[in-house]
Amino acid sequence: MKFGTFDDQSREYVITRPDTPLPWINYLGCQEYFGIISNTAGGYSFYRDAKLRRLTRYRYNNVPMDSGGRYIYLRDGESGRFWSPSWQPTRHAAENYSCRHGLGYSVIGSDYDGIRAHTRYFVPLDENLEIWQLTVLNLHPAKARISAFANIEFCLWDAQDDATNFQRNFNTGQVEVEDGVIYHKTEYRERRNHFAYFACSEKASAFETRRDAFLGPYRGWDRPAAVEAGQLSSGIAHGWSPIGAHQVDLELEPGETRQIVFLLGYHENPEDQKFDPPGSQTINKSLVKPTIAKYLNAGQADQAFARLGSYWDGLLNIFQVDTPDIHTNRMVNIWNAYQCMATFNLSRSASFYESGIGRGLGFRDSNQDLLGFVHMAPARARERILDLASTQLPTGGAYHQYQPLTKRGNNDIGSGFNDDPHWLIVGVSAYLKETGDWTILDEPVPYDNAPGSETPLYEHLERSFNYTLSRLGPHGLPLIGRADWNDCLNLNCFSSTPGQSFQTTTNKDGKVAESVFIAGLFVHSGRELAAIASRRGLNADAASYLAEVAKMESVILEHGWDGDWFLRAYNDFGGKIGSKECEEGKIFIESNGYCTLAGIGLNDGKALSALAAVGEHLATRHGIVVQQPAYSHYYLEMGEISSYPPGYKENAGIFCHVNPWVMIGETRLGHGDRAHDYYTRINPSAREEISELHRCEPYVYAQMIAGKDAPTFGEAKNSWLTGTAAWNYYAIVQWILGVRTTLDGLEIAPVIPASWRGFTATRIFRGVAYKISIERKGPGNQIALTVDGAPIEGNVVAPPADGRKEVTVKGVLS
Ligand code: BGC
Ligand code: NOJ
């Protein structure tokens, strides 16, 4: 069953039933001001940091779900009936409901009682505000008297404090209202120099800033007393919960349309210009007023909207493809790329599952996210890499997270996730392949942000690599530390205390438990580093990296091989994990996926055998599960993985982040059908028809789909902010379609399904537009290329030496 439909032409998903299984969200903003918006106008806004600069209040995991948002009510002056065109919060049976989630905007509306209304929500580029453009049309044959009420509930900035510290917060709330603009200024009198504002393009007949007066006692957003009465009372909030509400009374002739613009924004004043007049307690509004005036103008708002559209088109047009598979096309061309930008902008901070008050930026996560967005935002990728590397420890280890406002490593979570350092190599390598900007390696970058400790970035990569070499275990495999990619495989934790963090508790000295996954990652990152070194003429470095890689490869084949597949790890007792000898957790996806991705066992049949075993034991119709059999009870020596009921999350759930490692492994074996089949099983668009089971948005990936051991097999959770976005994008674009960035140019190496007659693509790469067409003449993956009509040797298209800006590449597969 579906709840909407894709409109690929408009790059929108159109939700046609408001009662989606879960709120289906979108993001507004892509620079400093952000908002989450659901298909019924729920959600909240913040400036840069969802925890510390929260503009509006939202109640996670509330009932009814998705409570609090950008709500507009309409009220018919004749009948007294009122409703919300976005369905929530009044939930009237409106007609023609639709929510169009587009790139950086959402348009939500419906018809009710002869009135058609929809609101377009977006954040203009380079501004710290959001625009709501409400359009109301009278479908009645007679004149209509309609009042529009627009409402938001302010958050008192620090979202965590706001939700917990009521003894203080019920006293601090303050607002000002001037020229019909509502200013929220809680704590402005003391240490804040920022405020929020809520403005309206029409001369409002009244406003309200007191939540209690707006709602009335014991009422919710679905039935505000003031809306029911049809009149706000222009009251000023003193403490409690300040809100912003505007009332606009309209008279609409039959067929008449009116537009009202509402603005919600954030502004910071210079410290010495906070008040006007100086010495008073009144906000100095002179610096923000021009911005407010500008965007209250509908023409200006339309222009800003058009600019936003061009921005997104520009990003997405860097890679566009036309294959025989619609699900591939729309995910690659639109939604997956868009989701990659969301993971870049928001990391793991604010979604329907990430409450905005939790994690900082993950070192591992942010490096991997680069794989999906580096082609769209290379300059920002560069900055991100340097920020990440600046938090690296002198040992080469990494803080597991850093805080975006301070850009400092997070001491509470600490370090010791022994895979972390390698992702910096993977991220930098992706950046170099995309941009060819070798200067980044010479950038002086500190360790642990300590001034004076700077070395060239290249040395950070070396230290990442060496970090593992000085942390090898009894078998010569890398010690796992707190955990590797699987944050829940906590082999040194041994926690028996409720509520203890599995990720920061360590009860073992960590000298025994080893990870085959990190070994595979080491082989991969070591080869990338060697390639970088040899391009810089550092041949001795390159040779020594390759020697260590070769050594590790043989250790993996000796101690990391279980007969038919790769082992996962050794535990603190030196016992095997992910082996036939185990009762539960006999085979895991991570080591088998990553080792084959890294090319281990390609020549001796081991990769083939490992992926066949993955196909046999782990693949399901909804995707590939993490391990089998699932852990049926809690194992002290395994940690968080066994804390989840079977089939959920890391305990045999389908982790959509790691499925692509197997897809890439399959392409390395030349199995295009298999790779694309795995791709399709978790492709959200291909799962649209089963939306009542899948439950999450059909236009973006979820982190996890419940595995076959779960009673809700096939149900997705944790959509949007997941490494799944980058890895699936990378797998389909660079390995299945095979349009791959390399240090030397663009490689064309498709491993596509046998039934595809080919595909066409455009790729803008280092300033040159490559028009690519692939034609299948035989069932295999052998490719012959011509560039502007001339055959070339091999399959790497070097950048044109003569400065051409457009190149035609034709490939014939046989
Ligand atoms: C989740 C992991 C996540 C970790 C760190 C765990 O509870 O299961 O998926 O990586 O928390 O945030
Ligand atoms: C989510 C985390 O963000 C990511 O870093 C981790 O690799 C996976 N969970 C698996 O545990």
Side-chain angles (χ1 to χ4, degrees), residues 726-749:
W727 274 102
N728 278 277
Y729 189 82
Y730 178 67
I732 184 72
V733 171
Q734 300 222 15
W735 293 90
I736 298 177
L737 300 172
V739 180
R740 186 147 72 233
T741 56
T742 73
L743 295 175
D744 305 316
L746 199 60
E747 181 172 356
I748 311 290

Side-chain angles (χ1 to χ4, degrees), residues 535-595:
R535 295 304 185 294
R536 299 198 100 203
L538 302 170
N539 294 331
D541 282 14
S544 89
Y545 302 141
L546 289 178
E548 294 298 347
V549 161
K551 230 190 279 169
M552 185 65 78
E553 210 170 342
S554 58
V555 173
I556 293 173
L557 295 176
E558 193 182 340
H559 297 294
W561 181 250
D562 195 51
D564 290 312
W565 56 76
F566 293 99
L567 279 178
R568 176 64 177 84
Y570 286 93
N571 66 21
D572 181 63
F573 311 116
K576 293 176 182 171
I577 294 175
S579 158
K580 288 191 188 96
E581 294 165 21
C582 304
E583 255 178 51
E584 300 187 328
K586 288 173 188 288
I587 172 170
F588 279 71
I589 189 171
E590 300 99 308
S591 48
N592 288 294
Y594 220 93
C595 286

Side-chain angles (χ1 to χ4, degrees), residues 359 364 401 487-488 503 640 644 649-650 655 703:
R359 316 195 228 177
R364 175 201 295 140
Q401 296 178 1
D487 274 333
C488 300
Q503 270 129 50
E640 185 170 359
Y644 288 112
K649 290 280 280 183
E650 281 85 345
F655 243 78
Q703 178 200 59

Side-chain angles (χ1 to χ4, degrees), residues 13 23-28 36-38 101-106 312 334-344 346-354 369 684 696-704 717-726:
Y13 189 80
W24 283 3
I25 69 165
N26 191 14
Y27 287 95
L28 308 176
I36 291 181
I37 185 161
S38 73
H101 280 323
L103 306 177
Y105 68 91
S106 295
W312 278 108
I334 309 168
W335 292 101
N336 194 3
Y338 181 57
Q339 186 180 1
C340 286
M341 287 305 291
T343 62
F344 165 64
L346 295 139
S347 189
R348 306 294 177 267
S349 71
S351 72
F352 188 62
Y353 306 83
E354 303 283 5
D369 290 346
C696 283
E697 297 91 335
Y699 42 91
V700 290
Y701 284 96
Q703 178 200 59
M704 198 251 341
K717 284 193 192 115
N718 199 358
S719 54
W720 280 100
L721 302 182
T722 153
T724 307

